[in-house]
Every structure is written in structure tokens, then in C-alpha cells.
Amino acid sequence: MTEVKVQNGIRREFYELFINGEKVESSDGGTNDIINPATGEVIAKVAMATGEDAERAVMAARDAFENSKWKIYPASKRAKILNRIASIMRERFKELVELEVLNSGKSINAATGQINQAVEDFEYYAGAVCNHGGQTNDVPGQFHNYTEKEPVGVCAQIVPWNYPLMMAAWKVAPALAAGCTVVLKPASLTPLTALILGEICQEAGVPDGVINILPGSGSRVGDYLVEHPEVDKVAFTGSTDTGKDIMSKASRTLKRLTLELGGKSPALIFGDAELENAVASSVYGIYNNTGQSCDARSRIYVEDRIYDKFVEQFVEKTKQMKMGDPMSKETHMGSLIDKSQLESVEAYIETARQEGATIAYGGNRLSIEGYEGGFWLEPTIITDVTEDMTVVRDEIFGPVVVISRFSDEKEAVSLANNTIYGLASSIYTEDTRKAKRVADKIRAGIVMINCPFSAFPGTPFGGYKQSGFGRELSAETLDLYSETKSIMSYFGRKPINPFML
Ligand code: NAD
């Protein structure tokens, strides 16, 4: 077993569940091997939760919601603890980054940006919650009405493997800020940094039971949480198919629901775009995080008159991408998450060939010295596609981009919207009026003009159509972790006696 090397001397090979402020083994003693996807080596063992463990975690979260002081603390006190979480994360930053790289195969540059954002999420919500509250409303005569925001209750939070700690922070930070209690289920492939977050919350002063962390399978633990009558809200990030399943199960107890699902996001490159920026940004837009991003700009549409030049430069830049040691700052792209994801992406490339597309670059497995057991794939460019092809329609979730063309603005908008998804999009043009017109017509939760990013603490992140609903990362997220209570008082002198009794 490879040693997990972390800062401040901690070396750990076994990670336990975190329930009610304690690290515990699973009720049936079950464990999972945690793999470094860059090498295929086992780096740790983790306890795998059972239904019994999920029951204990939900009841701990329920008890903490009803009986601890968490929800009745003033927002400023919760904010102070959130800021303390952020500062402990900064102290343990190097350890968190290295653990994320080891557990996900992503490059250290990608992990550094993501862990930094996870820290900023706690800082952001520490500030935002102090401005989150009710309002007074205009009501007739002798009445007075005000609203209060109350925490929604026990939240089950289910996250995927592509951004393990960042996705956890997107969910845990607003839930804690709002006064909720949490049972977090990380993806079974990537639970390590989320488990460290539990320790950090405890050290920062979050009471026992307010946060519980359960590595476990989706069908066993995820399902159990979604169906549990003591869970008030489910916040889920993952695939659209799982999201549909969760929505149907959560409906039985009418749980509050936030769904951040899949995407097939477009980048529109107009003829007047600043080409160097459009090419380099779009290369990042697909290959960042090895293409395993819900907001990956995986469909690029280029105006006819610059199409050939764009593709030529895109291929050139793709050739310069460095794959290899994920811990090296020189590395642009790490490995895929596991064998089944590698095989799934390869199958999409094969389908593209069979359906008549051209693999303009890449398409093959990579063998890298010292990393032969890992799950590596070349960055891949597919051209000569039509809108009905599988690779244009499906979310591939790997470093695979399709590049196609359009002739005018109307066609560009229509192609951008020709998808069941509606998460992110990018527009490249120097014409600001055109940028505004097109942005208004795109049916997606996020439109970026002349840049490839999507997510900043404070700006809403979420989808239209089958990319889900609800927004994360922003002030409005606090509303999704709150109920609104309306309180009305009567101050009149005359008794209220509508029945004239
Ligand atoms: P997934 O849907 O397979 O799993 C996500 C999580 O749900 C995991 O923790 C899994 O164990 C759990 N799960 C699986 N089945 C479940 C069930 N029946 N009930 C409850 N929980 C269950 O997704 P994945 O493969 O881990 O992640 C990739 C997907 O996530 C992609 O589709 C990607 O677009 C999406 N994603 C979306 C966003 C966003 O913000 N919109 C962000 C990141 C990833």
C-alpha cells in the first residue's frame, strides 16, 4: 500500500465514518479500497456506511437540529465558526490539495484552484448569512407583518467524484450558515477530503451531530437518505439520470430539493472574436479537470469564416498539453477517475467513428512511464459532426470536444440551445451588443462572455432544463436552505369579530 503523505506528519491508511462527532467503523465492518487513478494503486481504505449507519447519522442530525444550539445561534456566531473552518482549511491547505490529487488523479494546479474555492465558499457564506433575513410587508391598517428565515432542517447532501471537496463545500457551507444540520454522502471513489472536512468542522466548534459524513454507495446509503422521513431536504449533484430517480423518491415525503445535474455546454466563437483568447480559453474550457466537469464546454461552434483557422490553432494548442505526474505544476491534465469512466469515454469515441465523424486529434489511451496502471486518455478533438450524432448529444464527461460550424447569429443561438441540458455557455465576440443579444437568448443558467470559467463564490451556479434546478454558490442558495415564516400581529383597539357575535 502506498503511504498517504500529508502535512503535519499525519499518515493515514484507514478512514472512518464521521457520525455525531465521532470517527466510527461501519456497522458491518465493510471497507472499500481507495485508488489513486493516476497509478491504479491503493492509497487508503475507507469504512463504507450501511443503512444502519445512515439511520444513526440521520438521527444524530435530527437530534442536533432539535436540541443543539446551532440553529438558535445568532447568524454572526455561526459566521464566526464558518470563518474558523476556512482558516483551519488554509492551515491544512497543502494536505488537502495533495490528498485530492492522490484520490482523484487530477493535476495539482486544478486541485489547488478547487481547494482554494472550497475555502472561499465558507468565507463567502460567513458574510452572506449576516445579511440573510426576513422582511416587513405592507399589510392593511392595524396589522403588522414580518417574515423570518428559519433553517429547513436535516439536509442530505450527495456529491459526485469530480470535485470532491469543492462540491462538498458548495453544499455544507450554506447549509451550516443557514442553521441546518447535515448528512453528507461523498462519492464512494473520492471520500477522503470530505472526511477531513468533518474533522475540521469539529475543531472549529460545530456541535456534535450537526455534520455527519458517510462514505457509501449511492444505492445503499444515498437511497436510504433520500427516502428517510426525518430528512427535510436533499441537495444532489450528479448525473441527470440519478437526479430523476432522486426527484421521484424524494417526492414521496415532499422533500425540498436542489438538483445540480449534467451538461453539454456550448462555446460560440464568432468571426470577430479575439482568436488567441477564444482558442486558449476554449482549450481550458474542455480539458480542465480532464473534461470531467458538468460545465465543460464540450460543444464548440465556430463561425464559418474563421472555422479552419480556429480548428488548426485548437489542435496546435491541444498538442502542447502536458499529461503526467499530477503533482507537477507543469502538468495540464491528469487521469480519468477510473477504468469504467475511461472505457465509457473510449466507447463514445468509437461511436463517433462509426457514425462518420472525424477524430481530428487524440482518441487513444496514453501510457505514461511510472503511471502505467492509471486511467489516461489523450485530449481528443472530433470534427465533421452532425447534430444527431451521439457525441454531440450526450454528456461524455472526459477530455473530448466536438467542433462544428455556424453561418450566422441566429443559427449559433439555435445550435447552442439544441440540447436537453442548460447549465453553462461561453460566447466569444468583440461586439458587445451581439454578446448581450446572444446571452439573452441562450437557455442556460450561466453565460460567460469571452471567458471559460463558471463558478465564483457569490455568483449563482445552476441549470435550466435537464441540468437541474436551484442555485448554489450565491446568496439565493441560503433561501434554499431556509423556510420562510410569516408572522402577523394585530394592534387595533376594536376586537376582531367578523361573525358579529
Ligand atoms: P452519479 O449520479 O453517478 O453519482 C453522484 C452521487 O450520487 C454519488 O455520491 C453517488 O454515490 C450517488 N448516487 C448514485 N445513485 C444514487 C441513488 N440512486 N440515490 C442516491 N444517491 C445516489 O454521478 P457521478 O458519476 O458521480 O458524477 C458525474 C455527474 O455529475 C455528471 O453527470 C456531471 O455533469 C454531474 N455534475 C454536475 C454538477 C453541477 O453542478 N451541475 C457538478 C459536478 C458534477
Side-chain angles (χ1 to χ4, degrees):
M1 185 180 288
T2 309
E3 254 177 8
V4 182
K5 294 200 186 84
V6 291
Q7 217 184 7
N8 49 10
I10 305 165
R11 292 216 171 96
R12 241 192 260 167
E13 290 175 348
F14 181 61
Y15 288 73
E16 291 141 311
L17 314 175
F18 186 73
I19 303 177
N20 207 14
E22 285 180 1
K23 290 180 195 160
V24 290
E25 293 192 23
S26 72
S27 60
D28 68 356
T31 62
N32 227 16
D33 284 345
I34 299 299
I35 307 287
N36 175 353
T39 60
E41 289 172 328
V42 175
I43 55 167
K45 270 193 190 302
V46 71
M48 287 293 276
T50 60
E52 201 180 307
D53 298 315
E55 181 65 29
R56 281 187 56 216
V58 171
M59 294 325 287
R62 171 54 61 195
D63 185 55
F65 184 73
E66 302 301 342
N67 301 317
S68 83
K69 293 197 170 141
W70 188 247
K71 72 172 177 210
I72 50 175
Y73 279 162
S76 58
K77 178 147 186 185
R78 288 198 300 273
K80 205 167 162 184
I81 294 175
L82 259 65
N83 274 323
R84 223 178 278 150
I85 294 172
S87 70
I88 301 172
M89 286 172 85
R90 283 209 195 284
E91 282 162 25
R92 296 180 69 171
F93 193 80
K94 190 163 179 284
E95 169 194 354
L96 288 168
V97 169
E98 289 182 2
L99 207 50
E100 200 79 315
V101 172
L102 279 172
N103 194 183
S104 67
K106 64 180 69 195
S107 71
I108 194 160
N109 290 334
T112 300
Q114 291 159 23
I115 304 295
N116 192 47
Q117 203 211 79
V119 178
E120 287 175 353
D121 292 337
F122 284 93
E123 292 167 339
Y124 169 72
Y125 282 109
V129 74
C130 293
N131 284 315
H132 185 246
Q135 59 182 38
T136 56
N137 297 303
D138 189 25
V139 285
Q142 318 268 339
F143 293 93
H144 175 253
N145 175 259
Y146 66 98
T147 57
E148 281 183 349
K149 297 288 181 187
E150 293 186 350
V152 81
V154 174
C155 302
Q157 305 190 313
I158 302 174
V159 294
W161 44 258
N162 58 341
Y163 296 107
L165 186 62
M166 196 175 90
M167 288 293 112
W170 282 23
K171 291 189 164 33
V172 170
L176 293 188
C180 296
T181 60
V182 166
V183 180
L184 172 72
K185 194 200 85 60
S188 32
L189 295 173
T190 55
L192 302 188
T193 46
L195 286 166
I196 302 272
L197 178 63
E199 279 173 26
I200 291 176
C201 289
Q202 189 176 37
E203 188 186 339
V206 174
D208 291 350
V210 169
I211 177 161
N212 305 274
I213 303 176
L214 294 183
S217 82
S219 52
R220 207 169 176 197
V221 177
D223 246 16
Y224 196 92
L225 296 175
V226 171
E227 306 236 21
H228 202 296
E230 292 292 338
V231 170
D232 300 292
K233 174 183 169 102
V234 175
F236 169 76
T237 296
S239 63
T240 293
D241 282 346
T242 309
K244 288 175 185 172
D245 186 39
I246 286 177
M247 188 167 174
S248 114
K249 287 176 178 149
S251 73
R252 290 180 205 146
T253 40
L254 276 181
K255 293 188 192 335
R256 280 67 184 135
L257 201 55
T258 303
L259 296 177
E260 299 280 7
L261 308 177
K264 189 76 181 175
S265 297
L268 301 179
I269 321 289
F270 285 93
D272 62 1
E274 210 276 274
L275 197 59
E276 201 184 331
N277 176 49
V279 174
S281 287
S282 303
V283 164
Y284 177 85
I286 179 63
Y287 302 136
N288 173 41
N289 215 46
T290 321
Q292 300 168 125
S293 293
C294 51
D295 62 338
R297 308 308 194 276
S298 50
R299 293 182 295 142
I300 301 180
Y301 295 101
V302 188
E303 192 163 350
D304 276 330
R305 66 186 163 98
I306 60 159
Y307 178 84
D308 290 338
K309 214 191 302 176
F310 180 91
V311 172
E312 190 189 319
Q313 292 189 19
F314 196 96
V315 171
E316 267 320 300
K317 288 239 183 289
T318 300
K319 283 183 185 162
Q320 293 167 27
M321 296 276 298
K322 290 201 182 74
M323 278 74 70
D325 179 6
M327 290 292 183
S328 162
K329 289 197 170 143
E330 303 288 301
T331 297
H332 296 117
M333 202 172 87
S335 68
L336 289 160
I337 193 70
D338 67 359
K339 187 160 178 275
S340 80
Q341 190 64 16
L342 175 62
E343 287 170 355
S344 154
V345 177
E346 285 180 314
Y348 273 115
I349 296 168
E350 186 49 34
T351 303
R353 277 197 190 97
Q354 282 168 15
E355 290 181 0
T358 301
I359 311 303
Y361 184 79
N364 303 304
R365 274 188 200 202
L366 269 172
S367 176
I368 299 173
E369 206 187 326
Y371 296 88
E372 290 82 359
F375 313 111
W376 296 85
L377 188 74
E378 290 175 327
T380 300
I381 303 166
I382 304 182
T383 55
D384 300 322
V385 292
T386 52
E387 284 293 292
D388 56 346
M389 286 184 182
T390 311
V391 281
V392 178
R393 308 214 70 76
D394 285 12
E395 181 183 47
I396 297 175
F397 226 58
V400 179
V401 67
V402 293
I403 311 185
S404 186
R405 50 172 86 221
F406 64 86
S407 55
D408 60 20
E409 189 177 318
K410 191 165 172 229
E411 191 189 8
V413 169
S414 144
L415 289 167
N417 288 335
N418 188 21
T419 168
I420 59 165
Y421 298 111
L423 188 58
S425 57
S426 289
I427 301 167
Y428 292 90
T429 174
E430 292 299 291
D431 178 343
T432 51
R433 288 197 183 87
K434 179 159 62 188
K436 168 80 168 69
R437 272 196 313 271
V438 174
D440 287 349
K441 287 185 189 138
I442 287 187
R443 301 259 305 137
I446 298 150
V447 181
M448 305 303 280
I449 296 169
N450 293 327
C451 75
F453 309 118
S454 309
F456 299 90
T459 68
F461 187 102
Y464 283 27
K465 302 196 276 184
Q466 293 191 36
S467 289
F469 49 79
R471 294 293 178 269
E472 296 193 300
L473 265 191
S474 56
E476 66 191 277
T477 311
L478 290 170
D479 276 337
L480 302 178
Y481 284 99
S482 307
E483 296 284 9
T484 301
K485 182 173 278 176
S486 168
I487 298 162
M488 184 88 126
S489 308
Y490 173 63
F491 291 101
R493 287 191 177 281
K494 280 195 346 202
I496 295 180
N497 187 6
F499 285 150
M500 305 292 204
L501 301 173

